[in-house]
Amino acid sequence: MQPWLTLVGIGEDGYAGLGKAARHALLAAEEVVGAPRQLELLPRCIRARRSAWPSPFTLEPLLQRRGAPVCVLASGDPMLFGVGASLARQLPAEELRVLPAPSSASLAAARLGWPLQDATLVSLVARPLAALNLHLHDGARLLVLSNDGDSPAAIAALLAERGFGPSAMTVLEHLGGPAERRIDGVAGDWSATRVAALNLVAIDCRAGEQARHLPLTCGLPDDAYRHDGQLTKRDVRAITLARLAPRPGQLLWDVGAGSGSIGIEWMRAHPGCRAIAVEADEGRQGHIRHNRDALGVPGLQLVAGQAPAALDGLPAPDAVFIGGGVTEPGVLEQCWGRLKPGGRLVANAVTLQSEAVLVAFRDAHGGELTRIAIAQAQPLGGFDTWRSALPITLLEVVKHA
């Protein structure tokens, strides 16, 4: 099938900045779809019907035109956090023709002299500001796609709050167009309260004395979490996540999530990792909401309820962790039944009763049992001695097809 839909990347320089292929596609189209600002960039010689995206946004009217020659206008590169990504999930590649322009990230890197491959691109467009927390590391260079004109001031406030007030910030407005403008400053002293809605923020991260330095590996310090004692401790958490083995695009159920630490560190492992935290206690639900934002994974889904009933209707997981509730009738069976073939189930037990449940489950379904015993050196009078934590029994089992 010949492509019927052409995605045309257009910059702030408008029609004059388009190549020959993009111009020909617009001249041949029956309809051109885009934001009002983009449609206004087209000259009168484009005779196609001009349609603004519906509000609320939906692709349905466009998809109903399937087969007719249609152009979609998108800012810069349509496949970089653009409408092209949404359309590619709906249509096969052979129905799409993509003619990109330089992205705002490429233009920003060119203005700043930053090697693009050394910078991290973060989008805050219709996304929580807390997503930025995941990327705050001393020396990191971030290119942040703003949601609106208020974003730079909000970003500066977040950086200062997190101890990254010394970070250099550059706001680039209307990149590539006649109204392009650059604003430089330091996050801790940022004074530009509002800028143009179309902007990108470049951040050269610099940690101040109060900054919290968190590693990229699993096993964050226990005090990185707000909790009431229901927390999978650091060393056990690292072992548990190693057994869960996060992989890009996979979904984890964190059942009896407590503070949410397992699901949070699962999602921190890769941008494509997804997690659902199931927790019945209202106070702990509040801890999960706080921790997921503070640690940069606001996309962690929280299900308030008691397993196994709370698991009904959830998408099938690629991995399951049960940190509490293995003695609750039906929890293990429901998790195992919904787990995808090839998926991993890991459950931790502290009491004799919960350990007995894991032993019985292994007898029925296979897997490995591991005893985790950790001791820390602590003072005893003028000397030191070992203080042992409660031993943990860990069950790991893979669900073969």
Side-chain angles (χ1 to χ4, degrees), residues 354-381:
S354 56
E355 183 180 86
V357 171
L358 298 188
V359 171
F361 191 86
R362 186 200 61 167
D363 291 343
H365 301 285
E368 296 181 1
L369 287 171
T370 302
R371 172 62 63 88
I372 304 171
I374 296 173
Q376 292 181 320
Q378 294 184 3
L380 179 64

Side-chain angles (χ1 to χ4, degrees), residues 226-301:
R226 180 182 291 176
H227 62 91
D228 62 359
Q230 287 298 110
L231 173 73
T232 302
K233 298 301 189 292
R234 181 180 192 171
D235 298 302
V236 175
R237 192 184 328 126
I239 295 170
T240 299
L241 282 155
R243 300 300 184 94
L244 286 167
R247 299 171 192 170
Q250 291 198 334
L251 173 66
L252 170 76
W253 283 2
D254 184 0
V255 181
S259 65
S261 62
I262 295 293
I264 287 169
E265 295 193 28
W266 168 279
M267 291 185 65
R268 284 174 59 91
H270 189 273
C273 288
R274 300 168 295 133
I276 298 174
V278 180
E279 177 54 54
D281 184 89
E282 186 174 348
R284 292 169 189 163
Q285 293 164 16
H287 294 329
I288 292 172
R289 293 187 186 96
H290 168 83
N291 291 332
R292 68 184 179 185
D293 286 353
L295 295 170
V297 288
L300 174 71
Q301 181 182 345

